[in-house]
Amino acid sequence: MNSGKIPRIFFIGIAAIITSIIVSMISPVYALIPLSLFVIVSMASPFFPEWQMFLPCITRGAPGSHGVALTFDDGPDPASTPSVIEMLRKQGIKAHFFIVGKKAAAHPELIKLILDNGHTLGNHTMNHDTLIMLKTSARLNNEIASCQDVLKGFGITAYTFRPPAGIVNPKLEPILSRLGLFCVMFGIRGYDFGNRRIGNIGRNILKGARDGGIIMLHDRAPSGGVSVSELIAQMEETITGIRKKGLDFLSLDKLTGKKVMEEL
């Protein structure tokens, strides 16, 4: 899967240089403004993948889909993933799980549980290093490829990738292209900080829930003395609220129109 596209940041850089040259003819001091703005945009872009400066990232489904897709990050977790799966079964929802390779290898029974219930899997790197985008291309490639190998061990090929902490960089696109992956982000989140703060999940998600939205939650066990049952209650409340808005829950492949996983 090779996009063959020049990153958007490249064209912005060229525009900044040309603008700077033109402005310098008027005032050398003002010529620094477009270059400074370019530096600011370049530094901010890794944290805003929806800007798509470095690579294409899917952040929502097609307009008119009349639904949303539910995705989960950071699992599987034996303390919480089975409860999440059971909740989804009762709600009749098929979700997409971006799994951490190390956790999947340690808990193969949970991967089987996810797949047996009709859900799909995506790549969330091998170790979920939140600073991975600051490491070398070789290290980044190994993190993604190793997770991909773990998934293949379960008899599937994943096509979706979500970076840890939602941070991207210019090195990511060629690696994903070489491994046959595409980046899927989200447009709706609970701001749960990896289930460290779950109190406002429903309110945060319902505030941004709209047609075509991709919702990001976590299936890792909550911290701070919060029980898994409380997490599940928050999720059920959120699902009820979304349905009251007249939105259905669609699988990620149906929402985006792209194949997200294939059985070998």
Side-chain angles (χ1 to χ4, degrees):
M1 182 183 296
N2 192 345
S3 66
K5 293 182 179 179
I6 299 174
R8 184 176 294 175
I9 196 71
F10 173 84
F11 297 105
I12 293 176
I14 294 297
I17 292 171
I18 293 174
T19 303
S20 180
I21 292 172
I22 294 173
V23 172
S24 69
M25 298 177 184
I26 303 172
S27 170
V29 176
Y30 292 148
L32 294 175
I33 295 176
L35 295 178
S36 298
L37 290 174
F38 172 69
V39 171
I40 292 171
V41 169
S42 298
M43 293 178 66
S45 291
F47 304 98
F48 296 93
E50 63 270 21
W51 293 356
Q52 307 202 40
M53 292 295 179
F54 301 131
L55 76 164
C57 288
I58 295 176
T59 59
R60 59 175 292 109
S65 52
H66 303 298
V68 297
L70 199 53
T71 66
F72 290 89
D73 288 7
D74 297 4
D77 187 326
S80 49
T81 300
S83 297
V84 171
I85 295 297
E86 177 61 15
M87 180 272 296
L88 293 173
R89 185 191 67 78
K90 291 179 179 177
Q91 295 287 343
I93 296 173
K94 301 302 181 186
H96 192 73
F97 289 78
F98 287 95
I99 66 100
V100 176
K102 179 175 66 175
K103 294 182 179 180
H107 302 287
E109 75 284 357
L110 297 181
I111 298 300
K112 185 177 186 302
L113 179 67
I114 292 171
L115 294 173
D116 285 351
N117 278 271
H119 305 292
T120 49
L121 301 176
N123 187 318
H124 201 40
T125 72
M126 190 66 184
N127 294 288
H128 198 273
D129 179 358
T130 55
L131 299 178
I132 188 61
M133 295 301 163
L134 298 178
K135 308 294 175 62
T136 64
S137 293
R139 177 73 179 275
L140 178 58
N141 179 82
N142 184 62
E143 277 286 311
I144 300 172
S146 296
C147 182
Q148 201 71 350
D149 288 341
V150 169
L151 291 171
K152 287 181 179 177
F154 291 106
I156 67 160
T157 296
Y159 296 124
T160 63
F161 172 79
R162 180 174 287 168
I167 301 172
V168 297
N169 69 16
K171 298 176 286 190
L172 184 57
E173 197 279 335
I175 293 173
L176 296 186
S177 294
R178 186 164 59 250
L179 294 174
L181 292 159
F182 59 90
C183 183
V184 176
M185 296 302 294
F186 44 84
I188 310 168
R189 62 189 302 180
Y191 293 98
D192 53 24
F193 298 94
N195 285 343
R196 295 178 183 89
R197 301 178 188 174
I198 69 168
N200 294 320
I201 287 179
R203 184 169 62 186
N204 292 333
I205 289 178
L206 291 174
K207 190 186 305 180
R210 58 182 57 87
D211 181 35
I214 297 175
I215 300 172
M216 188 269 285
L217 289 169
H218 295 86
D219 63 318
R220 64 191 297 178
S223 56
V226 178
S227 66
V228 172
S229 60
E230 187 174 341
L231 173 65
I232 297 301
Q234 284 275 345
M235 291 180 178
E236 290 176 328
E237 203 173 293
T238 302
I239 290 168
T240 299
I242 288 174
R243 283 176 167 154
K244 284 182 178 179
K245 282 191 165 193
L247 296 171
D248 195 8
F249 284 88
L250 306 176
S251 59
L252 186 62
D253 55 350
K254 289 183 178 178
L255 187 82
T256 61
K258 294 176 71 72
K259 182 183 287 188
V260 298
M261 188 191 85
E262 188 172 30
E263 295 186 16
L264 300 175

